[in-house]
Amino acid sequence: MAGDDRPPEAAPDEAVSFETPDLYGAYPRLSQAQIAFLAEHAERFRVEPGQVLVREGEGCAEFLVILSGSIEVVEAHGTPDERVLRVHGPGRFLGELGLLQGQVAFYTARVREPGEVLSLPIDRLRVLVGRDPILGDLILRAYLGRRALLVGAGAGFRILGSRYSPDTRRLREFAARNRLPHRWIDLEADQEAEALLRRFSIPPEETPIVIWRDQRVLRNPSNAELARLIGLSPPFTEEERRSDLIIVGSGPAGLAAAVYSASEGLTTDLMDAIATGGQASTSSLIENYFGFPTGISGSDLAARGELQARKFEARVWVPAEATSLKPEEGAYRITFAERGDVVAHTVVLATGAWYRRLEVPGIERVERTSVYYAATVYEAQQCSADPVAVVGGGNSAGQAVLFLAQRVPRVHLLIRGPDLGAKMSRYLVDQIERHPRVNVLLNSEVRGVVEGDDVLRAIVVENNRTGERRNLVVRAMFVFIGTRPRTAWLGDVAALDDRGFVLTGASAQARASGTVWEGQGRTCLGLETSLPGVFAAGDVRSGSVKRVASAAGEGAMAVHQVHEHLGHTTVDVARHPDDPEAPSGRFTEPGGGRNTSPAN
């Protein structure tokens, strides 16, 4: 792509007639000043009709701006199923969220009319938007919107499987949690299913399968295999198996820790078994999070946090399920399923918690088809025409009720106690009480299920004051009845409280085994576990406040205490080039680190 020194052509004030309108803010037009700013650091080249600039299924590391001509975004390029999704004219730019996250493209960008394009390496773009926050915010909002539109359009790969298959549900949930554009083909209901099975000579009993670009077929892949297919997370290199800080879990606490750690110069690995965002990412709208007066969805908050961590060069790995933690010569070795071992000076445990399973007779027969522990677009699509029940009295249950009430004809909220506001924020209570599609049942508990063909038909509800029972007709049940920590993988290496949450501070030091704290020259820090240099933040920590804002705050505090710990260690560390006396705790060679002083 040869460049030249000619100035960019001015972006038009109005869209060309064939251009896809910008109805949702996903296709903004750059100003002439913004294009001129980018052009100072970009190459300019001619494009001709039919030329492919971005190819579906392949990686792309260039930010492309249209100066003249037009470019169409196409799905299933070169196949009988090809369709044009969008058309962009001068002043617009290409790309979507995957460009910033290092994923392969879920579309093909093909030149429609001849013209000129600016090309800017994505790494250089990250530097430039740091200088121009307005430009950076415009691109981020556009990319978030484009990813949502791709997901809604059913672009990307296809999952073909039975609605009764646990592996089909696993793959669909993994794709949904990671906001991966895809389409589910129901083995029992979609006419397309049989034709595809014949085309690829696959018997129904070997489903689910993942189909990518009509060329690659994965038979019941693991989550890791699917992630590799779309470039979500490449394998570790040997260099990447050592770092300053490993953060296990990427909910608000883990994401905040990654942002602060990486921005302060520590080599940082952020790991999660399923997807970034944790439990918070399943919230349809968080209205009481500081700084977002109109609210923000959990998935958008997670995406923004991940991109912010990546901006500071944190390494994000999904899926990466931790299976063990072991001390090793002043550091810690963590083993991850399908990835092997990594070693770090320090660790932040931010694995969060998951909702407890509802223990009632018969639930195991319908749990894989009709019982959910999150309420996102994915779950709502499964029951959009039927009444549903939400079980629980906290904020997560309240957010789920309001989200589902926009999409299903009736939502029954079952509260075990006599007061809706006992554990739920007032702003949610007020909205629920006013909503015409919501029916609140106080003093109510689920005692059983009525099923048919492994699908939920009704639930048995008991009034715990009167003992009266009745069948409530619902087709799905959403359960938010308290949490249990994700700490089983730790075994007995770190001290836990009676409910399995990680102890920190004085309580942890009191429960520490043997002489682990002798010779440390200090007491256990506030967020430190019974292991020196291992910290806990967010919902997994014993005594934590189960709120998004407090989890994020603890993630930041944990990094501050990581620095305190590193200041007391005698590990072979790098030195910041501007301050040769200041230890950074990095595994890199001396002189290779950035400023690691904690931010104010």
Side-chain angles (χ1 to χ4, degrees), residues 338-456:
E338 298 193 61
R339 288 189 176 274
D341 295 354
V342 294
V343 179
H345 288 316
T346 55
V347 178
V348 170
L349 304 176
T351 47
W354 46 24
Y355 291 108
R356 294 202 312 268
R357 184 175 181 269
L358 186 63
E359 301 289 345
V360 297
I363 195 171
E364 63 280 353
R365 294 193 298 273
V366 299
E367 196 161 29
R368 66 185 184 183
T369 60
S370 309
V371 180
Y372 303 97
Y373 297 87
T376 67
V377 173
Y378 159 70
E379 288 84 12
Q381 288 174 343
Q382 314 312 306
C383 48
S384 58
D386 302 308
V388 303
V390 175
V391 183
N395 277 6
S396 294
Q399 290 164 351
V401 166
L402 294 172
F403 175 73
L404 292 167
Q406 300 174 35
R407 292 161 172 82
V408 302
R410 193 69 167 164
V411 180
H412 301 281
L413 174 59
L414 278 65
I415 304 290
R416 184 171 57 181
D419 180 12
L420 179 59
K423 297 181 179 179
M424 190 180 297
S425 296
R426 190 70 235 175
Y427 78 94
L428 291 171
V429 172
D430 291 342
Q431 293 180 68
I432 288 172
E433 290 178 338
R434 293 195 303 264
H435 205 293
R437 294 186 183 179
V438 177
N439 175 37
V440 179
L441 300 173
L442 303 176
N443 300 112
S444 298
E445 299 185 51
V446 180
R447 298 303 188 199
V449 300
V450 179
E451 57 91 17
D453 299 325
D454 293 328
V455 176
L456 184 66

Side-chain angles (χ1 to χ4, degrees), residues 82-112:
E82 179 178 310
R83 60 171 173 157
V84 176
L85 299 175
R86 323 276 181 242
V87 178
H88 299 304
R92 287 192 179 179
F93 52 89
L94 302 183
E96 55 93 38
L97 195 60
L99 179 64
L100 301 179
Q101 296 177 328
Q103 300 172 12
V104 299
F106 290 95
Y107 60 88
T108 293
R110 181 177 63 199
V111 178
R112 173 176 174 145

Side-chain angles (χ1 to χ4, degrees), residues 145-421:
R146 292 180 189 188
R147 174 53 65 93
L149 289 171
L150 280 175
V151 171
F157 58 88
R158 288 172 285 180
I159 299 174
L160 192 161
S162 170
R163 66 179 62 189
Y164 305 111
S165 164
D167 282 319
T168 298
R169 179 166 174 173
R170 169 182 58 80
L171 290 169
R172 295 183 64 205
E173 288 184 344
F174 180 78
R177 295 292 177 267
N178 286 282
R179 297 165 58 111
L180 301 178
H182 70 286
R183 180 162 62 91
W184 171 48
I185 301 171
D186 190 339
L187 182 64
E188 282 80 22
D190 288 349
Q191 296 180 352
E192 183 183 359
E194 185 176 349
L196 286 171
L197 292 178
R198 284 199 305 267
R199 183 193 305 180
F200 295 108
S201 302
I202 296 176
E205 59 269 20
E206 293 186 13
T207 59
I209 62 174
V210 172
I211 304 169
W212 179 240
R213 300 172 60 209
D214 276 346
Q215 297 174 4
R216 294 193 61 184
V217 176
L218 301 183
R219 303 188 185 210
N220 193 15
S222 67
N223 290 352
E225 289 173 321
L226 177 55
R228 285 194 292 271
L229 176 70
I230 52 87
L232 183 61
S233 189
F236 292 138
T237 65
E238 285 306 311
E239 181 182 356
E240 290 167 338
R241 292 188 181 276
R242 299 181 73 84
S243 63
D244 299 325
L245 172 64
I246 292 175
I247 303 165
V248 187
S250 67
L255 285 168
V259 169
Y260 278 89
S261 173
S263 68
E264 293 163 11
L266 298 179
T267 51
T268 303
D269 288 307
L270 177 63
M271 331 287 288
D272 200 283
I274 301 296
T276 56
Q279 182 178 301
S281 68
T282 66
S283 297
S284 56
L285 186 65
I286 305 171
E287 294 187 75
N288 61 345
Y289 188 58
F290 175 78
F292 293 90
T294 59
I296 183 172
S297 72
S299 60
D300 275 358
L301 184 64
R304 288 170 178 266
E306 179 185 344
L307 291 175
Q308 192 173 14
R310 288 181 182 272
K311 181 180 80 169
F312 293 117
E313 300 181 16
R315 303 183 301 220
V316 182
W317 307 97
V318 175
E321 181 180 2
T323 59
S324 68
L325 168 68
K326 296 178 181 178
E328 183 178 285
E329 299 179 357
Y332 292 93
R333 179 177 295 273
I334 303 181
T335 301
F336 292 90
E338 298 193 61
R339 288 189 176 274
D341 295 354
V342 294
V343 179
H345 288 316
T346 55
V347 178
V348 170
L349 304 176
T351 47
W354 46 24
Y355 291 108
R356 294 202 312 268
R357 184 175 181 269
L358 186 63
E359 301 289 345
V360 297
I363 195 171
E364 63 280 353
R365 294 193 298 273
V366 299
E367 196 161 29
R368 66 185 184 183
T369 60
S370 309
V371 180
Y372 303 97
Y373 297 87
T376 67
V377 173
Y378 159 70
E379 288 84 12
Q381 288 174 343
Q382 314 312 306
C383 48
S384 58
D386 302 308
V388 303
V390 175
V391 183
N395 277 6
S396 294
Q399 290 164 351
V401 166
L402 294 172
F403 175 73
L404 292 167
Q406 300 174 35
R407 292 161 172 82
V408 302
R410 193 69 167 164
V411 180
H412 301 281
L413 174 59
L414 278 65
I415 304 290
R416 184 171 57 181
D419 180 12
L420 179 59

Side-chain angles (χ1 to χ4, degrees), residues 15-21 69-71 86-90 112-113:
V16 290
S17 59
F18 51 80
E19 191 176 44
T20 303
S70 62
I71 295 173
R86 323 276 181 242
V87 178
H88 299 304
R112 173 176 174 145
E113 293 183 332

Side-chain angles (χ1 to χ4, degrees), residues 455-519:
V455 176
L456 184 66
R457 305 296 180 185
I459 56 175
V460 180
V461 179
E462 179 182 271
N463 185 303
N464 55 28
R465 295 183 64 184
T466 66
E468 177 186 0
R469 291 193 177 191
R470 65 180 176 120
N471 285 0
L472 184 66
V473 176
V474 295
R475 294 294 182 263
M477 184 163 51
F478 294 79
V479 180
F480 305 92
I481 57 171
T483 57
R484 53 192 177 97
R486 297 176 183 260
T487 53
W489 67 280
L490 289 171
D492 59 358
V493 70
L496 309 177
D497 68 13
D498 294 339
R499 297 186 300 155
F501 291 87
V502 180
L503 289 170
T504 54
S507 299
Q509 186 169 353
R511 295 274 295 275
S513 60
T515 59
V516 67
W517 279 92
E518 290 184 6

Side-chain angles (χ1 to χ4, degrees), residues 516-535:
V516 67
W517 279 92
E518 290 184 6
Q520 290 295 319
R522 62 177 179 83
T523 58
C524 184
L525 299 170
L527 297 180
E528 200 164 19
T529 70
S530 56
L531 297 171
V534 178
F535 302 83

